[in-house]
Amino acid sequence: MWDALTRTEDYRRWWPWLRRLDGAALEAGARWQCTVQPPLPYALRFTIEIGEVDERSRVTASVHGDIRGRAELTLCDVSDGCDVRLASVLEPAHRGLQVVSTLAPLMARFGHDWIVRTGLDQFRAREW
């Protein structure tokens, strides 16, 4: 799993909704410029700053741009593969997104959940 996650050059091929990723490596201190297009009439532009990287087990990051917050990805070997957990605390930082999340919270939640669910499904569908 870790080997796949470090292949950042493949992310856009795996996830077509990831419209832009300028991120060369999964390493502490890296800054990735991203654009994500959920199935909604807006795109999200943000920077991911990679914090701690404990190889094969944990990555922390902070997010700045249209959305802001923090995230942590943890990996743990289990008998039949790898358990992967993504925990994040994110909120809209862009004024337009703040309005959308206030006036149409179900739409904002749908966009977030769609990206996470679709990304996971697309990753699982890969022939590893």
Side-chain angles (χ1 to χ4, degrees):
M1 174 62 84
W2 183 260
D3 293 339
L5 290 174
T6 60
R7 294 194 338 240
T8 58
E9 69 277 7
D10 291 333
Y11 284 17
R12 290 196 60 231
R13 185 170 46 86
W14 296 341
W15 299 308
W17 44 263
L18 180 59
R19 299 297 166 88
R20 175 182 177 209
L21 174 66
D22 297 334
L26 181 57
E27 61 186 24
R31 292 175 53 96
W32 298 359
Q33 301 295 321
C34 306
T35 302
V36 170
Q37 179 67 59
L40 296 168
Y42 59 82
L44 299 171
R45 291 169 185 78
F46 53 91
T47 301
I48 299 173
E49 294 182 22
I50 306 297
E52 298 177 41
V53 177
D54 299 327
E55 189 171 322
R56 301 193 180 280
S57 64
R58 181 172 168 264
V59 177
T60 65
S62 59
V63 180
H64 310 278
D66 289 344
I67 55 175
R68 65 178 167 232
R70 62 187 191 287
E72 180 176 19
L73 181 72
T74 57
L75 297 88
C76 182
D77 290 331
V78 294
S79 62
D80 61 344
C82 182
D83 183 36
V84 179
R85 295 179 190 260
L86 173 63
S88 64
V89 177
L90 300 170
E91 64 182 8
H94 182 275
R95 181 71 181 134
L97 293 174
Q98 290 171 345
V99 169
V100 167
S101 68
T102 300
L103 297 178
L106 293 178
M107 185 173 84
R109 172 59 67 184
F110 168 81
H112 172 271
D113 292 350
W114 185 90
I115 291 292
V116 173
R117 185 178 51 255
T118 302
L120 178 59
D121 290 346
Q122 290 168 327
F123 191 80
R124 283 181 175 157
R126 305 282 320 150
E127 296 279 332
W128 301 108

